[in-house]
Amino acid sequence: MIQIANSDAERQEVLGLFLDIFDDIAPNAVPMTAHDDLYKPLVIQFRSDTTQQLLGAALSCRAQVAAGSALMAKSGAQLPSENDYAPVLDKHSELDLIGVRPEAREQGIGSQMLAFLETTLASRGVRVWFGNVTDDLEADRLRPFYRRHGFTVLDDGQPLPPLLGRRWVSPATAQPAYFFYKKL
Ligand SMILES: CC(C)(COP(=O)(O)OP(=O)(O)OC[C@H]1O[C@@H](n2cnc3c(N)ncnc32)[C@H](O)[C@@H]1OP(=O)(O)O)[C@@H](O)C(=O)NCCC(=O)NCCS
């Protein structure tokens, strides 16, 4: 069963799951509700129908460059048009984290979560959805996973092309293994 995690308690549990699955994520990797206006996160949880145990979770939210631009605009800064994300703030989302407990993998939970995210994001007006895979993950197994779900998966080292007329990756960001994206 998939539900949106709208409370801080649920998001803390999601964060706990991510901290178990991923080695190198920040302790604040899942935005709490106080920051929803800035990050517009969609946090979902997949629970066992029988035990209610949290088996999987995913987070998609505004890209860091867009949230940064929104913060600067709020503080009154005048931004050049290429750094002004206001017109595209609600039209994009970045798939930040998706994970399933090891013992629950290969049963379609990850696929169901991707489908749920896509439908929900599209209904909220999101038009481009993208993400990246870092070298510490099983990058070769994730390629077919994202391809099967209709993403364009770029070759290793290829830059993410401009989408909605904006760049989504800050030059300061460490280069991932590859990017993937999809128009909704
Ligand atoms: C990627 C992941 C979310 C998929 O969840 P899932 O419930 O197993 O997915 P599904 O059952 O719908 O699909 C299975 C596919 O997922 C991929 N997959 C399965 N286990 C994987 C793993 N450990 N690492 C990477 N991809 C994996 C494969 O493409 C697999 O298809 P295959 O059996 O044909 O090789 C899950 O494997 C996971 O949590 N991996 C570790 C965290 C991660 O890499 N997250 C993605 C980047 S944020």
Side-chain angles (χ1 to χ4, degrees):
M1 179 188 34
I2 299 180
Q3 290 170 325
I4 296 177
N6 281 324
S7 72
D8 284 344
E10 289 169 318
R11 293 194 192 173
Q12 284 293 352
E13 200 183 347
V14 166
L15 175 63
L17 174 72
F18 287 156
L19 289 168
D20 285 348
I21 294 177
F22 299 100
D23 291 337
D24 58 347
I25 59 165
N28 61 351
V30 177
M32 293 297 131
T33 53
H35 305 295
D36 279 4
D37 277 354
L38 184 58
Y39 287 107
K40 287 285 155 73
L42 174 57
V43 185
I44 63 166
Q45 39 187 342
F46 187 105
R47 289 183 184 275
S48 154
D49 287 331
T50 46
T51 64
Q52 303 300 308
Q53 191 201 357
L54 185 65
L55 299 178
L59 159 69
S60 193
C61 63
R62 279 183 183 156
Q64 196 64 47
V65 283
S69 157
L71 255 190
M72 286 172 74
K74 210 172 161 187
S75 67
Q78 292 290 322
L79 300 169
S81 60
E82 70 271 20
N83 294 336
D84 179 7
Y85 288 74
V88 292
L89 272 183
D90 294 324
K91 295 197 171 105
H92 81 283
S93 190
E94 179 167 3
L95 177 60
D96 212 12
L97 290 166
I98 179 166
V100 173
R101 283 196 191 287
E103 64 276 16
R105 288 180 194 162
E106 304 282 341
Q107 298 168 30
I109 294 176
S111 297
Q112 284 184 58
M113 290 198 294
L114 275 185
F116 184 98
L117 287 170
E118 177 168 353
T119 307
T120 309
L121 291 171
S123 74
R124 292 181 179 182
V126 168
R127 292 292 164 259
V128 299
W129 193 24
F130 52 84
N132 67 73
V133 170
T134 48
D135 283 316
D136 54 317
L137 300 171
E138 291 186 51
D140 290 337
R141 293 195 65 192
L142 287 165
R143 267 181 197 288
F145 178 68
Y146 289 121
R147 281 211 182 102
R148 271 202 295 277
H149 290 279
F151 287 93
T152 299
V153 180
L154 297 175
D155 289 340
D156 282 11
Q158 286 290 304
L160 186 69
L163 300 165
L164 301 170
R166 298 292 186 290
R167 303 207 160 271
W168 298 99
V169 184
S170 141
T173 309
Q175 179 67 25
Y178 56 81
F179 291 96
F180 55 87
Y181 68 95
K182 180 175 191 172
K183 301 196 173 158
L184 303 187

